[in-house]
Amino acid sequence: MFPLQRGRRLRVNESIRSLVRETTLSPADFMFPMFIAEGENVQVEIPSMPGIFRRSIDLTVKEVKELFDLGIRAVNIYVKVSEDLKDNTGKEAWNPNGLMQQAIRAIKAACPEMIVMPDVALDPYSIYGHDGIIEKGDVDNDATNDALVKMAVSHAQAGADFVAPSDMMDGRVLRLRQGLDAAGFENVGIMSYSAKYASAFYGPFRDALDSAPRESDVVVPKDKKTYQMDYANRIEAIKEALWDVEEGADMVMVKPGIAYLDIVREVKNAVNVPVTVFHVSGEYAMIKAAAERGWLDNDKIMMEQLMCIKRAGASLISTYFAKEAAILLNNSQSFWPLEGWKL
């Protein structure tokens, strides 16, 4: 018999396609990563990330208000630390008057309903560019965890809603949960970078914060592969995510995004908490570079990639496209573009 089932009946026009669409996007699906710099009225574009800036706190607050008005409800914040504040202990990371702590307080004062998730890792504060304290030529896992607890508690004291450990130290989620609870911050959540791969897609981010591993007079690891994951591994990602949930993580993250959608789905199937996906700087930079040359349509590729990340299982997408995508969605007739914007 000639087929009675015809899939094309459900693709006849955009109205039908919208009725049966399985996955949708809204601005509330996005978290915007923000880079914060010292000073006032400072806005410096990151050359490898067109349209993304390091901003002083005053301009960061202005941007946060704009993001909230667009429907974005979370920001993930990072700081560009002065060289003279860097050492091997990371002690500036828990300075109550440090740049991160000032930024958290300013954002929450200006926009209390915006969810603030500061980065918890020592690389912006390290003279070696590593995510932890260097001892005997390697990153000392447990000493680093002690420092991360101090950092996270200082973030909570400043008003953070969640802390976001991106360091990949073993056992740090449990230590953070214990430390936050002991300090009276039982309601401050943990969004753990559970499956963070040692990826070349992070290059532009490290330019933004000057956080790449550096050459040194002492022996240090040349890269971050002793703590970030091997990108050849899949089962390990599930194991790491399950461990973090057992230790108290409220959300888990897979990073990077598009090249790791198989991992996103595997983790989504394995855990019972929301899964965040970081659509990282290199993924953003590639689209921007291709669009500038006329090889790809920026908006169409942006929306397709974000939709694919959501379809794979993301509850929240941390992406440098958050503002652009939110504007595009808000300018359409619905949360998914219809006649005003054709795929």
Side-chain angles (χ1 to χ4, degrees):
M1 294 179 61
F2 201 73
L4 298 179
Q5 293 294 333
R6 293 180 180 267
R8 291 183 60 188
R9 294 188 189 115
L10 301 180
R11 306 175 198 138
V12 169
N13 55 47
E14 179 56 26
S15 292
I16 293 175
R17 291 191 295 271
S18 69
L19 289 176
V20 298
R21 188 162 285 130
E22 299 172 28
T23 309
T24 59
L25 284 172
S26 83
D29 291 319
F30 306 138
M31 175 164 62
F32 192 43
M34 305 187 78
F35 301 115
I36 301 170
E38 296 279 4
E40 293 184 9
N41 200 34
V42 174
Q43 179 166 288
V44 179
E45 188 172 36
I46 299 162
S48 55
M49 301 175 70
I52 302 299
F53 300 85
R54 285 193 296 264
R55 293 184 174 91
S56 52
I57 290 175
D58 54 331
L59 297 186
T60 297
V61 166
K62 180 181 177 182
E63 181 76 355
V64 166
K65 290 179 180 178
E66 292 180 13
L67 295 170
F68 193 83
D69 288 343
L70 289 169
I72 294 169
R73 294 294 179 261
V75 291
N76 189 201
I77 58 177
Y78 305 83
V79 292
K80 175 71 168 65
V81 179
S82 300
E83 288 297 317
D84 60 346
L85 296 175
K86 296 182 180 183
D87 63 14
N88 188 36
T89 71
K91 64 180 181 296
E92 178 62 20
W94 54 89
N95 177 358
N97 295 312
L99 183 59
M100 178 68 87
Q101 289 76 6
Q102 292 181 50
I104 295 168
R105 286 194 291 267
I107 292 170
K108 293 302 292 185
C111 192
E113 294 181 66
M114 180 65 85
I115 301 301
V116 178
M117 300 191 188
D119 180 57
V120 175
L122 296 185
D123 50 331
Y125 304 89
S126 169
I127 53 174
Y128 303 122
H130 275 285
D131 289 42
I133 296 168
I134 300 296
E135 294 287 349
K136 299 178 181 179
D138 199 3
V139 174
D140 187 318
N141 190 95
D142 296 355
T144 297
N145 281 343
D146 292 340
L148 296 177
V149 171
K150 296 176 187 177
M151 186 179 185
V153 169
S154 77
H155 292 174
Q157 290 169 337
D161 300 283
F162 282 75
V163 294
S166 63
D167 56 286
M168 289 296 289
M169 296 299 111
D170 293 333
R172 92 275 206 213
V173 173
L174 178 59
R175 292 289 176 260
L176 291 175
R177 186 69 271 156
Q178 291 172 333
L180 288 167
D181 289 357
F185 295 107
E186 297 89 350
N187 290 329
V188 172
I190 298 174
M191 183 194 68
S192 175
Y193 290 56
S194 298
K196 181 179 180 180
Y197 284 86
S199 171
F201 283 107
Y202 306 151
F205 175 93
R206 291 175 180 168
D207 289 343
L209 293 185
D210 190 23
S211 61
R214 305 177 180 187
E215 293 185 2
S216 172
D217 294 336
V218 303
V219 176
V220 299
K222 65 179 180 179
D223 53 38
K224 301 190 177 188
K225 292 181 180 179
T226 67
Y227 44 99
Q228 293 179 1
M229 285 180 49
D230 184 343
Y231 58 71
N233 292 355
R234 175 182 62 86
I235 295 172
E236 184 182 14
I238 303 168
K239 178 176 68 176
E240 290 280 356
L242 289 171
W243 280 349
D244 283 0
V245 172
E246 290 173 1
E247 291 180 12
D250 301 284
M251 302 183 193
V252 297
M253 176 185 278
V254 175
K255 180 181 180 181
I258 285 296
Y260 294 79
L261 294 187
D262 60 321
I263 306 301
V264 175
R265 174 44 58 184
E266 293 270 16
V267 170
K268 179 70 172 181
N269 289 343
V271 302
N272 59 359
V273 299
V275 176
T276 303
V277 176
F278 205 141
H279 191 220
V280 299
S281 59
E283 296 170 310
Y284 174 89
M286 288 193 300
I287 294 174
K288 289 297 182 183
E292 286 174 1
R293 288 161 176 77
W295 297 341
L296 294 174
D297 184 301
N298 179 86
D299 290 354
K300 291 180 179 179
I301 294 295
M302 169 183 72
M303 297 303 294
E304 183 175 345
Q305 289 204 357
L306 294 174
M307 181 65 77
C308 290
I309 293 170
K310 179 79 179 291
R311 186 195 65 216
S315 303
L316 180 64
I317 306 170
S318 184
T319 175
Y320 300 96
F321 283 116
K323 187 175 183 180
E324 282 184 70
I327 291 170
L328 190 60
L329 290 167
N330 288 338
N331 286 340
S332 67
Q333 295 302 308
S334 74
F335 275 159
W336 176 252
L338 298 179
E339 297 303 321
W341 190 85
K342 296 283 190 181
L343 272 176

